[in-house]
Amino acid sequence: MSASQTAEVPTLLVKIFGKDRPGITAGLFDTLAAYSVDVVDIEQVVTRGRIVLCALVTHPPAGLEGDLRATVHSWADSMRLQAEIISGLGDNRPRGHGRSLVTVLGHPLTAESAAAIAARITGTGGNIDRIFRLAKYPVTAVEFAVSGTEPEELRTALVTEAAALGVDIAVVAAGLHRRAQRLVVMDVDSTLIQDEVIELFAAHAGCEDEVAEVTAAAMRGELDFEQSLHARVALLKGLDASVVDKVRSEVRLTPGARTLIRTLKRLGFQVGVVSGGFTQVTDDLKERLGLDFAQANTLEIVDGKLTGKVTGEIVDRAGKARLLRRFAAEAGVPLAQTVAIGDGANDLDMLNAAGLGVAFNAKPVVRQAAHTAVNFPFLDTVLYLLGVTREEVEAADMHVD
């Protein structure tokens, strides 16, 4: 039957609501089955023990609509439920062009925020087709399915609203490609881990203040990343190589990091890290966390001492984007289906090159330039941007791989 023909077919919308209990869905369709109707659409939501069940069905044979209505109401009364039956024609109206998924993270998510977001979506010409809660812990995460407006237009409209309301909002195009994102690449310092590795080494060398001074100069734009890297590493000259093991033991993973990586791996994603830090730490993280890729700068060690130099390819801002492309090629993943996560200005090229760039607890300039931002101190909240629910994460954790 064509779409135009379907639009002319008489249909009934049967709505059931009340206290949820086992057997309601089966009972409704058992009742409807006696009238030889076909199911056109079904929607069911349970919130705090209350069910709303909607069934769009074809019209029963001539003369039976009144009987069907009476029987459904009688069944609902017997189940202590309420029923509403609405006559009409055809299926749901076609969704508008342009389909997006809007993920909102709030801690808390206020009614004011929800109202403002919904108003912004409507203001762009979008229609909210469905809302679904992804998580209630450690943040409230909900997903809006929106049609009728293009993702870029929607993202532009919502970014300003997010900052004003103190929530995080991600907008991605709906479609199969969202499920196909199969490579996630993260920055390390202040993203995967809570620390700045150069500062951990500097603490053992007794030059924390000097390293901080060089870092501040780089932040002011007086030094580029490569200059600041060489200047800071030079301060580590003469440090005993045994400090590497001490620094590794001092590294603190960001809360949620293990959950994020474990879940991504279970979903079939490949996961990598790129860092302006050092392979002496990232190689250890790669082994401990089961990462697929890792690249960073390498501290030169001669005769058991740090020489104050780095060797090999320098991983700077441009280098991170270059490595993202390299990892994607090696993984066989189109760049548009990659996710990059970082916090600093030297992550911006990588974030913009990825299909989805996530600024994680980032500097303001990075938050403004990235596709989306997460401003909660839990790295696993990134999973919600990929449509993974908290329940799915916890269910997977209950099973031993």
Side-chain angles (χ1 to χ4, degrees), residues 100 120 123-126 148-159 171:
S100 305
R120 278 288 185 177
T124 66
T149 187
E150 295 301 323
E152 285 300 325
E153 181 183 356
L154 195 56
R155 182 181 295 121
T156 300
L158 290 174
V159 163
V171 180

Side-chain angles (χ1 to χ4, degrees), residues 182-188 192 261 265 268-275 279 281-296 315 320 322-333 337-339 350:
R182 286 291 178 264
L183 174 66
V184 175
V185 176
M186 289 176 275
D187 173 44
V188 176
L192 178 63
I261 294 169
K265 298 293 288 183
F269 281 60
Q270 295 187 60
V271 184
V273 294
V274 291
S275 176
T279 56
V281 170
T282 58
D283 286 351
D284 180 62
L285 290 170
K286 180 182 180 182
E287 182 177 353
R288 285 167 52 194
L289 299 174
L291 303 174
D292 300 284
F293 305 98
Q295 188 70 44
V315 179
K320 289 188 173 187
R322 185 171 58 249
L323 287 165
L324 171 68
R325 293 185 175 92
R326 183 190 303 173
F327 294 167
E330 292 178 14
V333 174
Q337 295 175 5
T338 62
V339 180
M350 174 178 73

Side-chain angles (χ1 to χ4, degrees), residues 38-117:
D38 296 330
V39 177
V40 178
D41 196 4
I42 307 172
E43 191 84 35
Q44 178 174 306
V45 177
V46 177
T47 304
R48 211 182 69 177
R50 309 293 292 185
I51 186 172
V52 178
L53 170 59
C54 296
L56 186 64
V57 299
T58 56
H59 205 274
L64 294 181
E65 180 182 345
D67 191 37
L68 180 149
R69 287 174 175 271
T71 303
V72 168
H73 280 288
S74 177
W75 168 81
D77 288 342
S78 72
M79 297 290 289
R80 296 182 180 177
L81 300 168
Q82 293 178 280
E84 182 180 2
I85 304 175
I86 304 170
S87 299
L89 291 176
D91 199 347
N92 305 306
R93 67 179 183 181
R95 292 177 180 173
H97 294 293
R99 297 180 59 197
S100 305
L101 296 171
V102 179
T103 306
V104 180
L105 308 180
H107 186 64
L109 178 60
T110 65
E112 178 187 9
S113 298
I117 292 164

Side-chain angles (χ1 to χ4, degrees), residues 376-391:
F376 300 101
F378 307 102
L379 196 55
D380 53 340
T381 54
V382 173
L383 291 168
Y384 309 143
L385 306 184
L386 305 178
V388 180
T389 69
R390 191 73 199 178
E391 288 79 5

Side-chain angles (χ1 to χ4, degrees), residues 57-392:
V57 299
T58 56
H59 205 274
L64 294 181
E65 180 182 345
D67 191 37
L68 180 149
R69 287 174 175 271
T71 303
V72 168
H73 280 288
S74 177
W75 168 81
D77 288 342
S78 72
M79 297 290 289
R80 296 182 180 177
L81 300 168
Q82 293 178 280
E84 182 180 2
I85 304 175
I86 304 170
S87 299
L89 291 176
D91 199 347
N92 305 306
R93 67 179 183 181
R95 292 177 180 173
H97 294 293
R99 297 180 59 197
S100 305
L101 296 171
V102 179
T103 306
V104 180
L105 308 180
H107 186 64
L109 178 60
T110 65
E112 178 187 9
S113 298
I117 292 164
R120 278 288 185 177
I121 292 172
T122 302
T124 66
N127 184 71
I128 299 172
D129 300 320
R130 182 174 300 174
I131 305 175
F132 177 73
R133 188 179 75 181
L134 296 167
K136 60 182 179 181
Y137 171 85
V139 299
T140 300
V142 295
E143 181 177 273
F144 294 73
V146 178
S147 61
T149 187
E150 295 301 323
E152 285 300 325
E153 181 183 356
L154 195 56
R155 182 181 295 121
T156 300
L158 290 174
V159 163
T160 302
E161 199 69 48
L165 295 171
V167 299
D168 293 336
I169 300 179
V171 180
V172 298
L176 291 176
H177 70 280
R178 191 199 196 195
R179 295 290 183 181
Q181 288 171 323
R182 286 291 178 264
L183 174 66
V184 175
V185 176
M186 289 176 275
D187 173 44
V188 176
D189 292 11
S190 299
T191 300
L192 178 63
I193 66 174
Q194 301 177 60
D195 312 282
E196 294 288 331
V197 169
I198 185 70
E199 294 178 3
L200 297 179
F201 276 102
H204 290 281
C207 59
E208 292 174 271
D209 292 342
E210 292 91 333
V211 165
E213 185 177 340
V214 175
T215 300
M219 294 295 288
R220 292 192 299 267
E222 297 169 7
L223 296 171
D224 65 19
F225 178 81
E226 186 169 347
Q227 288 177 310
S228 69
L229 174 67
H230 289 305
R232 287 177 289 178
V233 171
L235 296 171
L236 305 181
K237 182 177 180 180
L239 195 61
D240 195 274
S242 63
V243 167
V244 169
D245 287 335
K246 295 178 182 177
V247 168
R248 286 174 175 171
S249 68
E250 292 166 353
V251 165
R252 301 166 299 161
L253 291 174
T254 298
R258 287 188 183 277
T259 300
L260 172 67
I261 294 169
R262 181 172 62 244
T263 304
L264 290 172
K265 298 293 288 183
R266 285 170 172 164
L267 289 170
F269 281 60
Q270 295 187 60
V271 184
V273 294
V274 291
S275 176
F278 309 110
T279 56
Q280 281 83 358
V281 170
T282 58
D283 286 351
D284 180 62
L285 290 170
K286 180 182 180 182
E287 182 177 353
R288 285 167 52 194
L289 299 174
L291 303 174
D292 300 284
F293 305 98
Q295 188 70 44
N297 301 300
T298 299
L299 292 169
E300 184 180 64
I301 298 175
V302 176
D303 296 330
K305 302 286 185 180
L306 274 65
T307 67
K309 300 177 181 179
V310 292
T311 63
E313 177 184 5
I314 296 297
V315 179
D316 55 9
R317 175 170 171 165
K320 289 188 173 187
R322 185 171 58 249
L323 287 165
L324 171 68
R325 293 185 175 92
R326 183 190 303 173
F327 294 167
E330 292 178 14
V333 174
L335 200 59
Q337 295 175 5
T338 62
V339 180
I341 310 168
D343 75 298
N346 65 330
D347 296 314
L348 273 174
D349 289 2
M350 174 178 73
L351 297 181
N352 290 326
L356 176 64
V358 181
F360 180 73
N361 290 312
K363 315 305 186 283
V365 65
V366 182
R367 292 200 303 268
Q368 293 167 9
H371 298 142
T372 189
V374 170
N375 295 305
F376 300 101
F378 307 102
L379 196 55
D380 53 340
T381 54
V382 173
L383 291 168
Y384 309 143
L385 306 184
L386 305 178
V388 180
T389 69
R390 191 73 199 178
E391 288 79 5
E392 289 171 329

Side-chain angles (χ1 to χ4, degrees), residues 7-23:
E8 300 302 322
V9 173
T11 52
L12 296 176
L13 175 60
V14 182
K15 298 171 62 179
I16 302 296
F17 39 97
K19 185 177 180 180
D20 188 32
R21 63 178 67 84

